[in-house]
Amino acid sequence: MATGWGSILRDEQLEEMARQAVDRALAEGVLLRTSQEPSSSDVVSYAPFTLFPSLVPSALLEQAYAVQMDFNMLVDAVSQNAAFLEQTLSSTIKRDNFTACLFDIHKQVLKEGIAQTVFLGLNRSDYMFQRNADGSAALKQIEINTISASFGGLASRTPAVHRHVLNVLSKTKEAAKILSNNPSKGLALGIAKAWELYGSANALVLLIAQEKERNIFDQRAIENELLARNIHVIRRRFEDVSEKGSLDQDRRLFMDGQEVAVVYFRDGYMPSQYSPQNWEARLLLERSCAVKCPDIATQLAGTKKVQQELSRMGILEMLLPGQPESVARLRATFAGLYSLDMGEEGDLAIAEALAAPSQFVLKPQREGGGNNLYGEEMVQALERLKESEERASYILMEKIEAEPFGNCLLRPGSPVQVVQCISELGIFGVYVRQGKTLVMNKHVGHLLRTKAMEHADGGVAAGVAVLDNPYPV
């Protein structure tokens, strides 16, 4: 594994291969706006990617696909179980203001009565490959993203780039092994199904966007798929919703006077994205009968605290009764997860982590990458938190030790060199529920992201990992 493709290349060839790969990536639309001009597409660059596809055991790829429909059902079950959410998050919301604000909206919506009847989940479950003592690898879940799960668009553009690189090297047999992948098509299929079930032919899809969005082309891929089905998408910010959004007496949502069938959030997953005005806008959207992707309960279902509670014995059985096969598939992917709530259990977890810091990760209730604490930073945080109730806003997780391998990470302005890397595999899931009936439940593609060993945390948008493709072995 460690040799991968590196052995076939001498350095001078590497530079030339990188030039070819970058040109092909630009031609295929593997694009980001620049950090200098994040609101404009006048100047764009290629999204960082690996020179070669990375080797992934096909058994683990198949396992990740096979469990995705179980994860879809699980997230959906959690979102409908208000008692479980309240109990699970009770300690977290006392100390984590962001989760508390989300939960507050959840409670208001429940009190008024949920207006929406169609529910849509677009999620991505992320895994790493744990290196076992006997040299084999095991699939372990890192997290599930239930809001703004990104890169389904760009992931469909990268297989052609890696096939091109291998074809240039006359490796046509290898090039043919790179899997085709089009998550954005499947994600759009879910939105289209929800739009159809909403049942208003002239209603729009409202995409809640950030003002500065470098990853616009990823989002456009989904918009374009919808437009091909004659479903129109409008992009608005939370601020626009608070100024021009309204509900009629039936709680139908209107934006600029046009009815909205589906609200698709590509914003609203981090505290910095909410002003008081934005919280008001979020509440308005949640109170409406439009299909939210995700609705507030589904966003809460994706928190780290819920992930940790799901790993407790008996919880999966309670949420998915009479489905032992699903439970077994889900549990096989769980890494060790530990509560830091006040009390003996939390004390024990902290003591273990302080005794062996290299074996754990400290995770706050945050999305967007770059938030986790490792090593010395984790030790300092735990020493500071251990007597404080604030510790309940974190969870501890077993650190996944993956087998490193060589690859080239191509980034604008960075030298072309082989570095030691690890990968993270994401599987995109889509489900649609009408009332109590699941009308769609499927996996729709994958995302492989690879980062240099020295980077402990962070996704592509956070500027650390780069886009990749699995090369099944």
Side-chain angles (χ1 to χ4, degrees):
M1 183 84 186
T3 53
W5 311 99
S7 56
I8 60 173
L9 286 177
R10 300 181 310 285
D11 275 6
E12 64 270 20
Q13 218 180 339
L14 215 54
E15 300 266 345
E16 175 52 30
M17 286 309 314
R19 281 193 286 274
Q20 293 240 22
V22 165
D23 286 347
R24 186 61 188 250
L26 290 162
E28 291 292 338
V30 184
L31 302 171
L32 285 175
R33 286 174 173 173
T34 63
S35 45
Q36 293 78 24
E37 295 284 345
S39 305
S40 162
S41 298
D42 285 354
V43 179
V44 298
S45 188
Y46 64 91
F49 67 100
T50 57
L51 181 52
F52 297 104
S54 294
L55 279 55
V56 170
S58 38
L60 300 189
L61 191 60
E62 284 162 25
Q63 184 191 352
Y65 266 105
V67 75
Q68 186 56 43
M69 287 154 75
D70 303 313
F71 271 115
N72 291 345
M73 286 195 309
L74 179 60
V75 169
D76 189 43
V78 171
S79 75
Q80 295 177 78
N81 195 321
F84 173 72
L85 277 175
E86 177 137 23
Q87 190 183 352
T88 297
L89 295 171
S90 59
S91 57
T92 307
I93 59 182
K94 287 191 191 118
R95 288 290 156 207
D96 188 272
N97 189 45
F98 179 59
T99 311
C101 290
L102 292 171
F103 193 79
D104 195 42
I105 291 178
H106 171 60
K107 281 206 307 209
Q108 288 185 64
V109 169
L110 285 178
K111 191 177 170 193
E112 187 179 13
I114 297 171
Q116 79 184 82
T117 56
V118 177
F119 297 82
L120 166 65
L122 304 183
N123 63 55
R124 195 188 71 229
S125 184
D126 291 339
Y127 307 90
M128 284 176 74
F129 311 119
Q130 168 88 39
R131 174 177 46 190
N132 294 331
D134 63 359
S136 66
L139 189 77
K140 292 295 168 190
Q141 190 189 48
I142 303 298
E143 63 176 357
I144 191 156
N145 301 279
T146 61
I147 179 167
S148 190
S150 59
F151 291 105
L154 296 190
S156 63
R157 310 275 196 264
T158 54
V161 181
H162 280 150
R163 286 189 196 118
H164 175 76
V165 168
L166 294 176
N167 281 329
V168 168
L169 291 167
S170 302
K171 294 193 167 289
T172 46
K173 268 219 303 285
E174 288 84 348
K177 280 184 74 175
I178 294 176
L179 307 167
S180 292
N181 185 34
N182 194 351
S184 49
K185 187 172 185 150
L187 298 171
L189 201 72
I191 295 173
K193 187 68 185 170
W195 176 86
E196 177 198 320
L197 292 172
Y198 180 84
S200 174
N202 296 319
L204 306 169
V205 171
L206 167 63
L207 189 152
I208 300 293
Q210 300 180 39
E211 173 125 34
K212 297 177 174 174
E213 182 54 82
R214 292 187 62 198
N215 201 20
I216 182 103
F217 304 102
D218 186 56
Q219 301 175 6
R220 293 289 193 204
I222 297 172
E223 293 176 45
N224 296 341
E225 291 280 356
L226 289 167
L227 195 58
R229 292 183 163 79
N230 211 16
I231 298 170
H232 289 261
V233 180
I234 56 171
R235 299 176 64 88
R236 297 290 185 271
R237 300 163 310 147
F238 278 123
E239 290 82 352
D240 302 317
V241 172
S242 66
E243 284 163 23
K244 295 181 175 167
S246 62
L247 305 185
D248 70 5
Q249 68 274 17
D250 299 321
R251 285 200 267 165
R252 289 185 304 174
L253 174 65
F254 289 84
M255 190 71 211
D256 297 323
Q258 294 178 288
E259 188 175 0
V260 173
V262 179
V263 180
Y264 175 36
F265 290 100
R266 291 296 292 251
D267 191 9
Y269 49 87
M270 294 197 290
S272 59
Q273 295 165 339
Y274 286 96
S275 60
Q277 182 189 26
N278 291 9
W279 282 117
E280 285 299 316
R282 181 70 191 264
L283 177 60
L284 180 86
L285 296 171
E286 292 299 329
R287 291 182 54 232
S288 78
C289 61
V291 183
K292 271 76 67 183
C293 177
D295 65 304
I296 201 91
T298 304
Q299 183 169 352
L300 289 168
T303 53
K304 306 291 184 291
K305 183 63 190 172
V306 167
Q307 181 189 8
Q308 174 257 304
E309 280 298 307
L310 291 173
S311 71
R312 276 191 203 281
M313 289 314 289
I315 297 292
L316 290 181
E317 288 83 353
M318 181 268 292
L319 289 162
L320 299 172
Q323 301 187 60
E325 295 92 349
S326 283
V327 166
R329 282 190 296 266
L330 289 162
R331 194 161 278 140
T333 69
F334 288 173
L337 293 149
Y338 310 94
S339 168
L340 295 186
D341 288 359
M342 298 306 277
E344 194 180 348
E345 184 191 3
D347 290 347
L348 205 63
I350 288 175
E352 281 195 37
L354 289 173
S358 64
Q359 292 171 24
F360 294 91
V361 186
L362 184 64
K363 295 189 162 190
Q365 311 299 317
R366 293 287 173 272
E367 297 308 317
N371 304 299
N372 300 337
L373 297 174
Y374 301 80
E376 188 49 41
E377 274 191 301
M378 180 188 75
V379 169
Q380 289 170 3
L382 286 175
E383 292 288 3
R384 177 176 65 80
L385 291 166
K386 65 180 179 186
E387 303 304 329
S388 156
E389 291 192 355
E390 195 197 329
R391 74 189 207 185
S393 64
Y394 292 80
I395 65 160
L396 262 182
M397 184 170 169
E398 165 198 2
K399 188 167 182 248
I400 310 299
E401 293 295 345
E403 177 79 48
F405 56 88
N407 206 332
C408 273
L409 310 183
L410 303 182
R411 281 197 181 87
S414 289
V416 179
Q417 58 194 37
V418 177
V419 292
Q420 288 299 295
C421 304
I422 50 174
S423 290
E424 196 168 303
L425 172 70
I427 305 290
F428 290 95
V430 176
Y431 63 88
V432 180
R433 173 168 52 83
Q434 187 170 32
K436 290 284 173 202
T437 312
L438 213 53
V439 292
M440 182 185 287
N441 180 15
K442 57 205 301 184
H443 50 67
V444 297
H446 55 266
L447 168 71
L448 193 71
R449 291 172 301 168
T450 293
K451 55 195 168 193
M453 276 293 288
E454 66 264 25
H455 291 298
D457 184 23
V460 181
V464 181
V466 308
L467 299 168
D468 197 350
N469 280 290
Y471 183 86
V473 288

